[in-house]
Structure formats: C-alpha cells, structure tokens
Amino acid sequence: MLAAAFLIALGFGLVAPVLPQFATTFDVGATAAAVIVSIFAFMRLVFAPAGGALIGRLGERPVYVSGLLIVAVSTAACAFAQNYWQLLVFRGLGGVGSVMFTVASMALVVRLAPPESRGRVSGAYASAFLVGSVLGPVVGGLLAGFGLRVPFLCYAAALVLAAIVVQTQLSHTPSSARSAGDRTPAMRFGDALGVGAYRSVLVSSFANGWATFGVRMATVPLFAVAVLGAGPETAGLALAVFAGGNAAALTFSGRLADSLGRKPMMLAGLLVAGVATAGIGFTAELGWFLAASAVAGVGSGLLGPAQQAAVADVIGNERSGGKVLAAYQMTTDIGTIAGPVLVGVLADRLGYGWAFGVTGAVLVVAAACWSVTREPIKRIEG
C-alpha cells in the first residue's frame, strides 16, 4: 500500500502544476480552468456511495485495482484532448476511478490498523503519498518543457505500475467481502453522525478539501503566473514545498496524534494551515510565496493523520464502515468542488488576496468546530 501510494502521488504530482495551464490553452479563463479540477472531484462525489457498495460486494483489492486502471486510461485520454470539453469529460471520468481506489485504501487502513497506533499508521501512509508529491510537481514542471501533454502520459504509466503492485502484493490480504459474515454489522451513517467527533471530521474534511485539494491545485499555479509572472516550473516548486512541509510534519504528527490525542493536532493543523493559506494571497515576492506555501503544508501535515485516525476511532476495527467512509470522502470532494470555483470567481472579480483570505477563513471555522468537540481517542479508551 505504501509503494502504491508513492506511485499514485508521484504521477498526480506530474499533472498538478500543468493541469490548469493546459486548460487555458483552449482559450478559457481562470474560472473555467478551475472547473477542470472541480469536475474530477464532482465525479468522485457522485460515485462515492457506489464505490462503498462495491467494496462490500467485491472486497478492497479488486476495487482498488479497477479504480487505478480507470484513472490511467482517462488520464492518457486527456493527453490527446482536442478541445476544452473533451478535457472536461476525460478528467471527469478519472474521478470515478479515483474514488474507487481512495475509499478502498482507506477501508484497508481502518480495518487493519490497531487502535493504539492509528495515527502512526495513517501518518506512514500519508508520508508515502507525500514523498511522491514532493518529487512529482518538480518533475512535472520540468516535463512541461517538452509539452503540456507529456505529464499526463507519464501519470497514466505510474498508475498502471501502481495497479500491478496492488494486484500482486496485496493478494494475501483477507477481503472484507469474504469475511463480512463473521464481523459485526456495518456501521450506519446515522449512528456515526451521532458522534461529535465524526461531525467535526466532516467539517474539517470539507475545509481540507477546499484548501488542500481544490485551491492549492487549481489556484496556486494560476497565482504564480498572474501575480508573480512565473511559469510552470515555479508553480511546480510551490506545490513541492507545500508537500515538503507536509512531509516534515508527518514525521511526528502521527505519533503525537496517538499520544496527545486527535483534537490538539486538529486544532494546531487547521489554524496553521488557515493563517498560512490566507497569507499566500498577500505575497508579492517568490521567497515569501514559497515560505507561505511550506507553512501551509506543515499545517496540513499536522491535521492529516489525526483526522483519519478520528474516523477510524468512530468506526472501529470490528465492523465495516463503507458508508461512513464514503460520506467522509464526499465532504472532502464537496470542498474540492466548491473551493476552486468560488475562489476562481473571487480571483477574477476581487483579486487573489480575497481568494486566499476566504480559503484561510474556511480552515479557521473548522478549527472552531473542533474546539468544542470531545477527544475521540478518550471515547475508545473509555
């Protein structure tokens, strides 16, 4: 799973710096370019419930591999798009496969990680993903020099390799579909919603999707070009330093989430990420822009393991939580959809200062929700 996460992130990082700029080659503005990012998340959102149901029927590994191959084919098709609408359709189809392998991997982590080390397990998985994210944007920015279509083909190849790794190396893992009859009945979404920690997780997941997966991918590259006058290489560097800050925080945040609790790490991460993200919109020099991006990455790294561990605390190891995980993933995707579009409109009409300021405020609101939430790990211990 760690090897597959690295390959997926490496490939995704190749595409991230060039995707919005590739969209603008079809004579569209910032808002339309942001929709290319949002359509991917929209299709993930629509297909998430079906993805959870497929895991219950087929097991995690078949859904994981199928999802990777769907994204590989759709990404390769993006490289050959001849107009904006073709790119929109191909990118949207990739979202279907993406939610399949994302929910399948989360289900495996939740099911296999023991309660006392959930933060560390989540941190290790996120670290593997982030190592790929550190390398991917830099390489993607350089590959853009050979043409904006080249990174898409490289991403497709990385996904095929990841599918081979998952298919061959997870063959020994017992399937939830085969063992479902021997386990406690699946947790219902209504039951999870009755837990305060789960409600706060949904809010922070929305905020994280808005800022980290939406605005960072769609608006940061455009900001680098429009305000700083930089090219794809600088956009890739900004995404890389964000991932670098994230990876640095992940070296200790998972351990602290297990020892100190989920809540302190969520509060620290959301506040740090919120302030730094708002600050990006007020930078006018490359150095400050990269520094703010790195600090925002640290904030994201502080909250990531604690957030996933909190979801696992609510579900537990003894039962399936496909619908609960799907809803958690859906809130991330709703944020990823809404964030780039609304921030793109703000950037076009009021400027990038407002765009990043609002994004920072969304993260701070999520921190306010966690400030009145009971520590979920204490619920497990009690």
Side-chain angles (χ1 to χ4, degrees):
M1 287 183 67
L2 296 180
F6 170 77
L7 290 170
I8 293 166
L10 179 67
F12 186 77
L14 298 178
V15 171
V18 302
L19 181 58
Q21 296 172 58
F22 181 49
T24 61
T25 63
F26 298 116
D27 297 322
V28 298
T31 302
V35 171
I36 293 294
V37 175
S38 294
I39 191 62
F40 188 82
F42 176 76
M43 293 302 292
R44 283 169 53 92
L45 174 66
V46 170
F47 200 75
L54 284 174
I55 291 172
R57 276 181 188 274
L58 305 176
E60 293 94 345
R61 184 166 58 96
V63 176
Y64 203 158
V65 173
S66 299
L68 288 170
L69 293 177
I70 289 172
V71 182
V73 172
S74 65
T75 301
C78 287
F80 299 100
Q82 299 301 304
N83 57 57
Y84 175 81
W85 297 107
Q86 287 183 10
L87 179 63
L88 189 69
V89 170
F90 295 148
R91 189 63 178 163
L93 290 175
V96 175
S98 177
V99 76
M100 290 171 65
F101 73 69
T102 301
V103 175
S105 65
M106 277 197 304
L108 280 169
V109 170
V110 168
R111 186 159 62 88
L112 301 178
E116 67 276 6
S117 59
R118 284 171 179 155
R120 282 170 285 176
V121 170
S122 298
Y125 187 77
S127 294
F129 197 92
L130 260 296
V131 170
S133 296
V134 170
L135 299 176
V138 176
V139 178
L142 296 175
L143 286 175
F146 298 98
L148 294 178
R149 299 175 187 268
V150 173
F152 292 92
L153 297 175
C154 294
Y155 182 25
L159 288 167
V160 171
L161 183 57
I164 293 172
V165 170
V166 172
Q167 178 64 28
T168 58
Q169 300 303 311
L170 290 182
S171 58
H172 66 284
T173 304
S175 171
S176 61
R178 292 192 297 268
S179 59
D182 302 326
R183 299 214 315 270
T184 305
M187 187 178 202
R188 296 180 301 177
F189 173 70
D191 293 337
L193 202 59
V195 180
Y198 184 70
R199 294 194 299 271
S200 293
V201 159
L202 295 183
V203 176
S204 59
S205 175
F206 170 83
N208 195 41
W210 177 303
T212 301
F213 302 109
V215 170
R216 179 170 66 98
M217 294 299 179
T219 311
V220 166
L222 297 177
F223 175 84
V225 173
V227 178
L228 303 179
E233 296 83 2
T234 299
L237 184 59
L239 296 181
V241 298
F242 179 98
N246 203 327
L250 285 171
T251 61
F252 59 86
S253 62
R255 183 175 65 254
L256 291 180
D258 288 330
S259 60
L260 298 180
R262 322 305 190 202
K263 180 176 177 178
M265 302 307 295
M266 291 300 304
L267 287 172
L270 288 166
L271 290 174
V272 170
V275 172
T277 299
I280 290 176
F282 299 96
T283 59
E285 298 178 1
L286 178 61
W288 287 110
F289 170 61
L290 295 178
S293 297
V295 174
V298 170
S300 180
L302 293 177
L303 69 91
Q307 182 168 259
Q308 185 158 321
V311 176
D313 291 339
V314 173
I315 298 172
N317 298 94
E318 299 79 14
R319 55 185 170 183
S320 172
K323 293 181 179 179
V324 175
L325 288 171
Y328 164 65
Q329 186 59 54
M330 288 170 71
T331 57
T332 301
D333 291 331
I334 290 171
T336 307
I337 293 166
V341 174
L342 296 178
V343 166
V345 172
L346 286 173
D348 285 339
R349 296 186 178 182
L350 300 177
Y352 284 96
W354 276 94
F356 285 100
V358 168
T359 299
V362 170
L363 291 164
V364 172
V365 169
C369 291
W370 269 99
S371 69
V372 295
T373 298
R374 180 184 176 188
E375 170 59 55
I377 197 171
K378 295 289 175 58
R379 178 176 178 267
I380 302 302
E381 294 171 354

